[in-house]
Amino acid sequence: MKENIKEIWNKRPLIISGPCSAETEAQVLETAQRLHATGKVNMLRAGIWKPRTKPGLFEGIGVIGLPWLQKAKAQTGLPITVEVATAKHVEDALAHNVDILWIGARTTVNPFSVQEVADALRGVDIPVLVKNPINPDLELWGGAIERLQKAGLTNIGMIHRGFSSYGNTQFRNAPMWHLAIEMKRRFKEMLMICDPSHICGNRTLLQEVSQKSIDLDFGGLMIESHIDPDNAWSDAKQQITPERLNEMLGDLIWRSENTSAQEFITALASLREQINHIDDELLTLIGQRMKIADKVGEYKKENKVTILQTNRWNEILERAVAKGDALGLSKEFIIRYFDAVHLESISHQNKVMYAN
Ligand code: PEP
Ligand code: MN
């Protein structure tokens, strides 16, 4: 990898911005200049080929946009990144000295496409960022990363852009933070950045979602920006001007995962000790609860009663939600927690029922 790209790749936070789509040469150049002027952006992004849900929408300017990006790089010094989905895209991007590639959410879902891109990159020393697949499937996300690793790529990062869900929610793509956290656990040293633009789908939540990702120790952000957001040819609702981006980045509070201040370390160690202790107690109690469930299972077996008794389950939930509320625990958490406990209890009772 070229020295200057290595330096950018290792920068934390890594801030990537630029339009959803490259539209005209003037738009690309002006965006790059205004982003560069913020002094906070490390890399310019622009979609050249756009995977659109329906035909008839703007599907990207295509290969003629690549020289515009090269020119923007020459004028500002900002390295450039584009989305690739086919071997031809890879070939064109490399021919135009694109510095970093990314794989979009609609490509990560398709192992054929990911493999095609990986094969086209065999022997090429370029960093690649892999967006999560549109559906919440971590195996698919991890599988895409493994395909690239098998092709010999060593600089791979992840972009969390949220997951598509049916029906209207507050977000265009639900963040499901726990899934990104799990990927960070599976790929420990790997860079993970957040794309709040595609999570939010609008401008109002951008700051909040960006801050949340920073608090979860993400390594950077990819945010869409446009010189005239309302008139963007794609994703108009979620884009912001470079100046607004500058303000937003200035307002974010960057935290580091570790600090060397002794007092902090001691206080944290003591609190973690308490948490470990409580977790141990909770597990012991849950174990005891399951032993009681086993006994209930035995009685049900002897008396030929079904395992699931809906009324009893509703009663448990109602009690727990009320109690949880008084303790400052959200209804959502209580339901998720009790669902998990209940499933485990059913599986225990099942074992008892079908034991010889
Ligand atoms: C994009 O970055 O413009 C894009 C198409 O994003 P995603 O793959 O996350 O939908
Ligand atoms: Mn977009």
Side-chain angles (χ1 to χ4, degrees), residues 19-21 45 47 49-52 83 102-107 131-132 134 159 161-162 172-173 195 198 222 224 234-235 238:
C20 177
S21 304
R45 65 149 277 159
W49 303 280
K50 302 300 299 177
R52 306 311 297 275
E83 174 180 349
W102 91 79
I103 296 183
R106 288 168 189 76
T107 305
K131 285 200 174 192
N132 63 261
I134 43 181
I159 306 178
R161 50 77 81 196
R172 177 175 174 193
N173 292 293
D195 168 352
H198 292 87
M222 179 192 259
E224 289 185 341
S234 61
D235 286 352
Q238 70 197 30

Side-chain angles (χ1 to χ4, degrees), residues 143-158:
I145 293 168
E146 281 171 36
R147 284 177 199 278
L148 295 171
Q149 285 173 330
K150 286 215 162 82
L153 291 163
T154 49
N155 296 294
I156 301 173
M158 300 176 271

Side-chain angles (χ1 to χ4, degrees), residues 14 46 181 208 288 354:
L14 174 66
I181 293 167
E208 198 182 304
Q288 286 173 5
Y354 294 103

Side-chain angles (χ1 to χ4, degrees), residues 294 297-298 301-302 307 347-356:
D294 288 343
E298 276 163 28
K301 184 179 180 179
E302 276 165 28
I307 290 181
S347 119
H348 268 252
Q349 294 184 35
N350 248 319
K351 274 199 202 122
V352 173
M353 284 232 177
Y354 294 103
N356 294 314

